[in-house]
Amino acid sequence: MPTPPKAQQYTLIVVSDHSQAVRKFRLPRRWLRRGAYAGGGVALVGLLTLGHYFSLLGTGTENRILREENAQLRSQILLVQEKVAHISATLDRVERFDAKLRTAVTQLQDPERGLAIGPVGKSAETPLAGAAPAAHESVAALPGRLASLESEATRQESSLRELQEYFDDQKSLLASTPSLWPARGWVTSDFGVRVDPYTAERMMHRGLDIATATGQPVYSPSDGTVVFAGTEGGYGKVLVIDHGYGVKTRYGHLSEIFAKLGERVKRGARVAAVGNTGRSTGPHLHYEVRVNGIPENPRKFILE
C-alpha cells in the first residue's frame, strides 16, 4: 500500500541577534492560506467600515446643510406669509375706501341742477375674499393665495382708475358750471312767471334781469366757448357761451361784445358790457342758463 504524500509545509526560521538558538516553525500550507483569507476578510471589513464611516460623515454634513436650508426656507415662508397678510389687509382697506368714495359720490349728486355725471357704474362689491392669512397658513395654499391677491389688485386698480376718471370729469364739470354772477348790480326781475312790462301779460321770464350802468363789465361765470355773438331780435346784442355738459349761458341787451365767435374763455373773463339794446326798459343784463336747451333758474348754479 503506497504511503500518502505528506502535506506541504513551510518552515519559518527565526534567527535571534543574540546567541540564542535558531528556532524553526513548521507551518502547514493550509494554515497560511487560511490566514491569508482571514487577513483579507479583516482588511475588507476594515475597508467597508472605513467607507461606511466616511459615508456617514458625508451624510451628516448633507443633513446639516439641509437642516440649515430648511430653517432658511421656513424663515422665508414666514416672511412671505407676513407680506401676503399685509397686502391682503391693505387691499381690504382699499376696498372699504372705494366703497366709501362711491357712497359719497352717490350722495353728492344734485338732481336739482340736472348736471350729475354719476353715480359711478359699480357700487361697493364683495369685500376682499378671505381675511388676512394666518401665520400658520400652509405652503401649498400660498400660490392660490397669491393668485387671488393678484386678481384682487387688478380689480382694485380698475375700480380706482374708474373713480379717478369720474373725479377728473367732476373737476371739468365744476370748471364748466356757471357759478359766478355775470355782472354786479341788483336783480330787478327774477326767473319765473312775471308781468311783461310791454304787454302787461303774465309770461315766463327765462332768466335774471340784473340792473346796472351801461358799460359795466359782463364776466363769464365759468369756462366755455363762444358759440354766438351778434344781434337777436328783442334781446338786442346777444352773447352765448357753451360750457359743455349741455350747459349754455345767454347774455342779452349788451352794449358791446368783446369775446369772439369760437373763442375759449375762462371763468371770470370779461366778455361783454352791459347795455340797453333790443326791447329793454333801461340798462341791464338779461342772463339765462339753459341745460340741454331748457331754461333753468340761474340762481341754482351761482355759488358766491
Side-chain angles (χ1 to χ4, degrees):
M1 183 174 180
T3 303
K6 294 182 178 180
Q8 294 183 354
Q9 296 180 346
Y10 293 94
T11 301
L12 178 63
I13 300 174
V14 179
V15 179
S16 176
D17 291 340
H18 304 283
S19 58
Q20 294 180 0
V22 176
R23 295 182 180 183
K24 293 182 180 181
F25 299 94
R26 296 184 184 276
L27 301 174
R29 185 176 181 181
R30 65 177 181 275
W31 287 15
L32 293 177
R33 186 181 300 116
R34 291 174 181 173
Y37 289 157
V42 171
L44 180 60
V45 170
L47 288 175
L48 291 175
T49 303
L50 189 62
H52 182 63
Y53 172 73
F54 284 114
S55 174
L56 289 177
L57 285 179
T59 303
T61 302
E62 291 179 357
N63 288 339
R64 179 177 56 80
I65 294 174
L66 288 175
R67 285 195 299 270
E68 292 176 354
E69 290 180 348
N70 286 337
Q72 292 177 357
L73 286 174
R74 283 194 297 269
S75 176
Q76 292 175 359
I77 288 171
L78 288 175
L79 181 61
V80 170
Q81 289 175 339
E82 290 176 359
K83 289 184 178 179
V84 168
H86 177 70
I87 293 172
S88 179
T90 300
L91 285 176
D92 194 32
R93 288 195 300 272
V94 171
E95 178 78 23
R96 292 195 297 268
F97 184 59
D98 181 283
K100 288 181 180 179
L101 283 178
R102 292 177 182 279
T103 301
V105 165
T106 303
Q107 292 175 348
L108 285 175
Q109 301 308 317
D110 187 356
E112 187 177 1
R113 294 187 180 184
L115 293 174
I117 297 176
V120 180
K122 297 184 296 181
S123 59
E125 298 186 5
T126 304
L128 182 60
H136 60 273
E137 183 182 41
S138 65
V139 177
L142 279 178
R145 184 63 184 171
L146 290 173
S148 175
L149 287 176
E150 182 180 8
S151 175
E152 178 65 17
T154 300
R155 191 185 69 80
Q156 285 293 340
E157 181 183 15
S158 176
S159 178
L160 293 177
R161 185 181 297 112
E162 180 184 340
L163 280 173
Q164 180 182 3
E165 291 174 354
Y166 169 80
F167 285 116
D168 287 343
D169 206 10
Q170 284 291 321
K171 180 180 178 181
S172 176
L173 173 63
L174 289 175
S176 301
T177 301
S179 57
L180 302 181
W181 284 97
R184 295 301 176 184
W186 57 97
V187 176
T188 56
S189 184
D190 225 318
F191 177 88
V193 178
R194 67 167 188 176
V195 176
D196 187 277
Y198 283 91
T199 63
E201 296 179 359
R202 295 181 62 83
M203 299 183 63
M204 180 65 185
H205 187 232
R206 298 179 177 180
L208 299 178
D209 285 346
I210 303 173
T212 187
T214 300
Q216 288 297 308
V218 175
Y219 303 100
S220 175
S222 62
D223 298 352
T225 302
V226 177
V227 294
F228 181 81
T231 302
E232 185 179 300
Y235 286 100
K237 288 185 179 181
V238 173
L239 175 69
V240 179
I241 300 177
D242 187 344
H243 303 281
Y245 302 96
V247 180
K248 293 181 180 179
T249 52
R250 297 169 57 86
Y251 313 83
H253 309 302
L254 303 173
S255 60
E256 293 182 82
I257 300 175
F258 305 124
K260 306 298 181 183
L261 185 64
E263 181 180 351
R264 179 74 180 169
V265 296
K266 293 291 185 181
R267 173 185 278 124
R270 188 169 70 109
V271 293
V274 174
N276 191 29
T277 58
R279 198 177 70 164
S280 173
T281 57
H284 73 283
L285 171 67
H286 176 79
Y287 173 57
E288 293 183 12
V289 176
R290 297 188 182 185
V291 179
N292 297 321
I294 300 174
E296 297 281 350
N297 189 343
R299 291 183 182 271
K300 292 181 181 180
F301 303 89
I302 297 173
L303 299 178
E304 65 171 13

